[in-house]
């Protein structure tokens, strides 16, 4: 008596299917009603059993061990089938962006951001490269070379308009997390970043002179993050942190402002919901900042270009252009906290600090850390000498809470006059 594949017990068939790629499983489902019902129409607990096994067979993090970028565990059941289907569709599109339908671009970006935002927490900064999230590795791999990040690699037809605002912000956020792409190193991309961050029109009372969208009228009034602004800040700062040849060939660059350093860090035994310093403010920080000559900044913003009728980007490039980059060490200490009713377990943290290196004994800093309306971590602080605040800074933690990547943002003065200087800053751990 002969035995066919159909005569095998269901459990054996499922074990075989788990060894296949999810795309192959979809193809097998088309072979017969038996396979289709087994894969898609199983009832009860078995409906997710196969898809759970398929998901865990992929090079992804176990979702049951992951927390969100702001340290929250997952609530409710994880839909293994729909989540895996979304990821595999994203993978398929990133292999050939020309097949991406216009309405799919936002969903693909959300899928990738969901993966890099839900990762297992590290226990210490020393674990970053040893216990790197599989989700972060996978997303960096499928977007290597700037796929779906750079404007020329997002599947836009030549006659398509610019991406919608939501899509632009989603892509900019993912780009900021992943890090430098080959296109970023081109002179035109560097100039675009400088042109944005030094454009005074991007700093006003509506966005609180930082990388935020206009402040909402609902919630706690802490505006949502402007990820397009953040990407340009990241790009401009990165150019001072990396030294690559103009003709350097690369697909992925690992450095302190790239994906491995965005993984959330929760020390062993720490419950963030019970911790006053949930953001990890206490300790020593390095702050680096950029600026250009003030007279050049004013010329750039006030003298229009005859050719384009816009700002004179030519002032921000060429052998005569110089952008200064400085670093200093800060020691910060939490002084008090205030409960945030919109974010239980994440109170507003107030802190004081002093410049440790270079030290002149009189420079101080004070500010606060809080959650924004879109569940990002905002940093605000002012600084000056002998207790007289002059400088004002606004920043956003990139990646997970306490991540080594740190804070990206902008600085200006507390006076917010029309001719105030502006610049970008980074505050890594």
């Amino acid at each position: 008596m002969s035995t066919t594949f159909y005569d095998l017990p269901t459990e054996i068939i499922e074990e075989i299917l788990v060894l296949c790629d999810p795309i192959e499983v979809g193809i097998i489902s088309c072979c017969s009603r038996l396979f289709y019902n087994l894969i898609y129409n199983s009832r009860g607990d078995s409906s997710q059993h196969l898809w759970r096994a398929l998901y865990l067979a992929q090079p992804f993090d176990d979702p049951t061990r992951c927390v969100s970028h702001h340290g929250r565990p997952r609530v409710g059941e994880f839909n293994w089938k729909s989540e895996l289907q979304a990821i595999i569709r994203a993978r398929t599109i990133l292999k050939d962006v020309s097949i991406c339908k216009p309405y799919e671009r936002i969903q693909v970006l959300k899928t990738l951001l969901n993966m890099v935002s839900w990762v297992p927490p590290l226990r210490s900064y020393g674990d970053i490269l040893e216990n790197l999230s599989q989700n972060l590795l996978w997303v960096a791999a499928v977007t290597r070379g700037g796929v779906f990040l750079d404007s020329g690699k997002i599947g836009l037809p030549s006659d398509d308009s610019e991406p919608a605002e939501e899509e632009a912000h989603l892509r900019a956020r993912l780009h900021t997390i992943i890090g430098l792409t080959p296109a970023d190193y081109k002179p035109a991309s560097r100039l675009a970043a400088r042109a944005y961050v030094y454009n005074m029109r991007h700093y006003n009372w509506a966005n609180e002179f930082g990388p935020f969208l206009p402040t909402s009228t609902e919630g706690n009034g802490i505006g949502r993050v402007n990820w397009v602004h953040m990407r340009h800040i990241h790009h401009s700062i990165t150019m001072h942190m990396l030294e690559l040849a103009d003709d350097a060939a690369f697909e992925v660059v690992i450095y302190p402002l790239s994906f491995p350093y965005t993984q959330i860090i929760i020390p062993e035994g720490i419950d963030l919901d019970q911790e006053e310093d949930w953001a990890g403010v206490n300790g020593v920080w390095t702050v680096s900042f950029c600026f250009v000559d003030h007279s050049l900044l004013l010329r750039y913003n006030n003298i229009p270009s005859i050719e384009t009728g816009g700002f004179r980007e030519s002032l921000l490039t060429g052998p005569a252009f110089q952008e200064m980059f400085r670093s200093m060490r800060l020691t910060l200490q939490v002084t008090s906290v205030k409960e945030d009713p919109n974010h239980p377990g994440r109170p507003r943290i107030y802190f004081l600090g002093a410049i440790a290196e270079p030290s002149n004994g009189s420079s101080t800093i004070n500010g606060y850390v809080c959650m924004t309306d879109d569940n990002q971590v905002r940093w605000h602080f002012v600084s000056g000498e002998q207790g007289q605040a002059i400088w004002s800074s606004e920043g956003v933690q990139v990646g997970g809470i306490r991540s080594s990547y740190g804070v990206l943002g902008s600085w200006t003065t507390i006076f917010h006059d029309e001719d105030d200087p502006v610049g970008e800053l980074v505050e890594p751990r």
Side-chain angles (χ1 to χ4, degrees):
M1 179 178 179
S2 62
T3 301
T4 68
F5 190 77
Y6 294 96
D7 297 321
L8 293 174
T10 300
E11 293 79 5
I12 300 299
I13 295 177
E14 288 184 347
E15 288 183 10
I16 295 173
L17 291 176
V18 170
L19 298 177
C20 300
D21 184 86
I23 292 289
E24 297 170 336
V25 173
I27 294 173
I28 293 171
S29 73
C30 300
C31 294
S32 72
R33 182 174 298 178
L34 169 68
F35 288 142
Y36 185 89
N37 288 334
L38 174 63
I39 294 169
Y40 292 114
N41 291 337
S42 298
R43 297 180 180 277
D45 293 339
S46 61
S47 63
Q48 290 287 317
H49 176 75
L50 172 62
W51 289 96
R52 178 182 184 277
L54 272 172
Y55 190 106
L56 294 178
Q58 309 308 310
F60 311 144
D61 293 316
D62 182 346
T64 63
R65 297 181 54 246
C66 295
V67 297
S68 68
H69 67 275
H70 52 289
R72 301 293 191 189
R74 199 179 298 275
V75 177
E77 292 188 10
F78 186 79
N79 192 321
W80 301 93
K81 181 173 77 171
S82 64
E83 293 287 344
L84 183 56
Q85 287 176 326
I87 293 172
I88 297 305
R89 179 56 183 168
R91 185 190 70 179
T92 301
I93 288 173
L94 268 62
K95 286 182 177 180
D96 180 6
V97 295
S98 67
I99 69 172
C100 183
K101 300 177 177 63
Y103 65 84
E104 288 185 295
R105 294 199 298 266
I106 286 179
Q107 184 54 52
V108 169
L109 289 167
K110 286 183 175 180
T111 297
L112 299 176
L113 280 168
N114 185 60
M115 292 193 73
V116 299
S117 298
W118 287 88
V119 298
L122 297 175
R123 296 309 180 191
S124 71
Y125 293 103
D127 292 342
I128 291 174
L129 296 181
E130 293 183 6
N131 297 303
L132 182 59
S133 158
Q134 295 299 300
N135 284 0
L136 288 171
L137 277 173
W138 187 85
V139 173
V142 295
T143 59
R144 65 187 181 276
V147 174
F148 227 67
L149 299 178
D150 296 332
S151 58
K153 297 184 177 182
I154 60 178
L156 283 173
S158 57
D159 60 345
D160 203 346
S161 59
E162 288 294 315
E165 182 178 358
E166 180 186 10
E167 181 182 342
H169 282 280
L170 291 171
R171 180 169 287 106
R173 181 183 172 193
L174 183 61
H175 196 154
T176 304
I177 290 171
I178 296 300
L180 191 74
T181 68
D184 290 338
Y185 216 69
K186 296 180 178 179
S189 296
R190 302 187 204 182
L191 178 57
R194 294 187 198 124
Y196 192 102
V197 299
Y198 289 118
N199 185 339
M200 290 180 174
R201 293 181 180 179
H202 295 140
Y203 306 89
N204 51 64
W205 291 105
N207 64 15
E208 302 187 66
F209 299 89
F212 303 105
L213 298 173
T215 306
S216 67
T217 57
E218 302 177 356
N220 58 13
I222 306 299
R224 302 170 69 87
V225 177
N226 182 339
W227 285 104
V228 172
H229 196 162
M230 288 284 286
R231 180 176 66 83
H232 286 304
I233 291 173
H234 170 267
H235 191 174
S236 192
I237 290 283
T238 290
M239 291 302 100
H240 292 278
M241 300 181 68
L242 291 176
E243 294 185 6
L244 299 174
D246 290 339
D247 59 350
F250 63 90
E251 290 191 318
V252 177
V253 181
I254 296 178
Y255 66 110
L257 299 187
S258 64
F259 66 95
Y261 299 90
T262 63
Q263 195 163 347
I264 186 172
I265 296 177
I266 305 178
E268 192 73 43
I270 293 293
D271 180 354
L272 292 182
D273 288 347
Q274 305 299 321
E275 183 74 16
E276 285 192 345
D277 184 18
W278 52 267
V281 174
N282 284 325
V284 178
W285 294 74
T286 299
V287 176
S288 300
F289 56 96
C290 300
F291 60 95
V292 297
D293 179 79
H294 191 223
S295 61
L296 184 147
L297 180 69
L298 294 179
R299 288 176 60 204
Y300 167 63
N301 281 276
N302 292 296
I303 303 178
S305 169
I306 296 175
E307 292 80 10
T308 65
F311 290 92
R312 295 197 62 176
E313 283 80 2
S314 61
L315 292 172
L316 303 179
T317 189
F321 173 76
Q322 185 177 12
E323 184 179 41
M324 276 61 75
F325 182 77
R326 302 286 186 270
S327 298
M328 62 181 66
R329 301 273 283 178
L330 302 178
T331 301
L332 303 181
Q333 182 175 2
V334 173
T335 57
S336 63
V337 298
K338 180 181 179 181
E339 289 301 319
D340 180 352
N342 294 304
H343 298 94
R346 301 292 182 269
R348 177 175 292 210
I349 302 171
Y350 295 90
F351 62 86
L352 290 174
I355 297 177
E357 297 177 12
S359 176
N360 58 18
S362 61
S363 297
T364 59
I365 179 173
N366 70 85
Y368 62 80
V369 178
C370 65
M371 299 295 296
T372 65
D373 289 344
D374 53 349
N375 289 321
Q376 301 298 321
V377 181
R378 175 187 179 179
W379 284 63
H380 163 83
F381 55 90
V382 297
S383 58
E385 297 184 3
Q386 299 178 347
Q388 300 297 317
I390 298 177
W391 310 109
S392 176
S393 302
E394 299 288 347
V396 177
Q397 169 81 58
V398 178
I401 286 176
R402 301 185 177 210
S403 76
S404 178
Y405 191 122
V407 180
L408 279 180
S410 57
W411 65 267
T412 180
T413 77
I414 64 170
F415 308 110
H416 303 310
D417 294 331
E418 289 186 1
D419 58 351
D420 268 1
V422 296
E424 58 272 36
L425 64 85
V426 61
E427 189 177 4
R429 291 309 297 254

